[in-house]
Amino acid sequence: MRNIVRMFVPVEQQYHAQFIQYPNLQEHLEAFDQEKCNLSWGHLLFSDASAMELTGARKIVLYRDPHSWVLARARFFLSDEFTGNIEHVKGGRISVEELLNLMIFGIYQKVPSLLDLYMHNAVAWMGTVNAMVKYEELVGAVKRIDDLESEVYFRKLLGQCGIDPIPDDWRERVKIGSDRKQSGTARENLSGLSVEIPNELPETQKKLVEFVAPGLRKLLGYE
C-alpha cells in the first residue's frame, strides 16, 4: 500500500524523516501540515492525541485477516530482519503452535496481544477515516490489474488518498509499487527463519483468535 501510493506522490512531498508511531507523534507533527500536503505512514494507534493532531489529514487504515496476520507476525519475529526484546523465541526451543499462541495472546510486558493491536490500530479508527482497506482486496486488485474491476478499485482508493485525477500510466505505477521484491517484510524476502510457519492457521489457533477477540473477524468483514 505504501509503495503503491508513493508512486503517485512527488518525492519532496513524502515524509521520510520517521515511520510515525504514537511515541514519536509529537516530534513529527509537520508530517500532517496541510499546507505541505505530505504523504506519511506508520503504526498510529487511535487516541485523543492522534485524533486531534490528524484533524484535516486524509487517513487510510490498512488491515488484514487476523488469521493470516498471526502467521505473518510469527514469520517476521523469527526473521533476521526483526530485532527486539524477544530474540529468545528464535532459537527453535518452542514449537510452532506455542509461537503462534504468543502472537495471539501477546508476551507479558513485551509484546501486545492481537486484540490490543487490532483494537487500537484498526477497529477504533472505523467510521473516522477516509478508507479502511483490506490487504486481501488490495492484493486481489493488483493481481487483476488489467480488469475494469481493478481500475474502479484503484480510482476509488487513490481518490480517497487525494490523488484525482490519476495519471494515464497508473497501471504501470501500481505494478512497480506493488513489486514484492521491494518489500522488506514479504515472506520470501525474510531471512534466517529457524522454524517453518504454515500457510494456514491451525484450527485450534483459529478458535483461540475467536476466544481472544470474539467478533473481530466479522466486524472487519471476514465472516
Side-chain angles (χ1 to χ4, degrees):
M1 175 70 184
R2 178 188 70 176
N3 288 342
I4 289 175
V5 179
R6 286 175 63 185
M7 295 301 300
F8 295 85
V9 179
V11 174
E12 59 270 19
Q13 285 184 257
Q14 298 179 28
Y15 191 77
H16 294 287
Q18 186 59 265
F19 185 84
I20 300 175
Q21 303 186 69
Y22 189 79
N24 62 32
L25 174 63
Q26 297 300 322
E27 301 170 20
H28 298 277
L29 295 181
E30 62 179 306
F32 312 113
D33 187 330
Q34 294 185 50
E35 293 186 3
K36 295 182 179 180
C37 198
N38 287 316
L39 167 66
S40 62
W41 45 82
H43 293 153
L44 190 56
L45 60 84
F46 181 82
S47 71
D48 53 347
S50 54
M52 290 187 292
E53 300 298 357
L54 269 65
T55 298
R58 292 179 181 269
K59 299 178 283 290
I60 311 295
V61 174
L62 176 69
Y63 63 92
R64 69 188 300 172
D65 187 337
H67 286 176
S68 64
W69 177 88
V70 170
L71 299 171
R73 190 190 199 193
R75 290 190 194 96
F76 182 59
F77 277 15
L78 286 177
S79 71
D80 292 338
E81 284 70 21
F82 174 79
T83 57
N85 60 351
I86 59 168
E87 294 289 320
H88 55 284
V89 305
K90 295 183 179 184
R93 295 179 60 186
I94 63 176
S95 68
V96 172
E97 292 77 14
E98 289 169 334
L99 178 62
L100 296 178
N101 285 5
L102 290 176
M103 300 301 100
I104 296 169
F105 290 94
I107 302 176
Y108 182 64
Q109 294 185 338
K110 294 181 179 180
V111 176
S113 70
L114 175 149
L115 177 60
D116 284 338
L117 286 171
Y118 269 85
M119 180 187 303
H120 296 295
N121 289 280
V123 173
W125 284 107
M126 295 180 76
T128 72
V129 297
N130 294 79
M132 298 287 293
V133 179
K134 281 185 181 180
Y135 170 80
E136 295 81 7
E137 291 181 350
L138 177 63
V139 170
V142 168
K143 292 180 177 179
R144 301 186 303 272
I145 193 66
D146 294 321
D147 294 352
L148 177 60
E149 181 182 358
S150 178
E151 179 176 352
V152 171
Y153 178 89
F154 279 109
R155 286 189 180 276
K156 179 180 179 181
L157 176 59
L158 292 170
Q160 290 167 325
C161 295
I163 303 167
D164 186 23
I166 63 176
D168 294 337
D169 64 346
W170 68 270
R171 284 188 173 88
E172 187 62 26
R173 298 189 188 209
V174 170
K175 290 178 182 178
I176 295 173
S178 61
D179 184 359
R180 291 178 64 88
K181 294 179 181 178
Q182 305 304 317
S183 171
T185 56
R187 69 167 71 181
E188 62 269 26
N189 297 333
L190 297 176
S191 59
L193 273 67
S194 58
V195 177
E196 184 176 352
I197 302 299
N199 292 322
E200 182 177 351
L201 197 65
E203 288 301 317
T204 297
Q205 278 65 37
K206 289 180 180 179
K207 294 177 181 178
L208 293 179
V209 168
E210 184 61 25
F211 171 78
V212 168
L216 175 63
R217 293 185 73 246
K218 181 177 181 180
L219 178 63
L220 295 176
Y222 290 103
E223 290 186 347

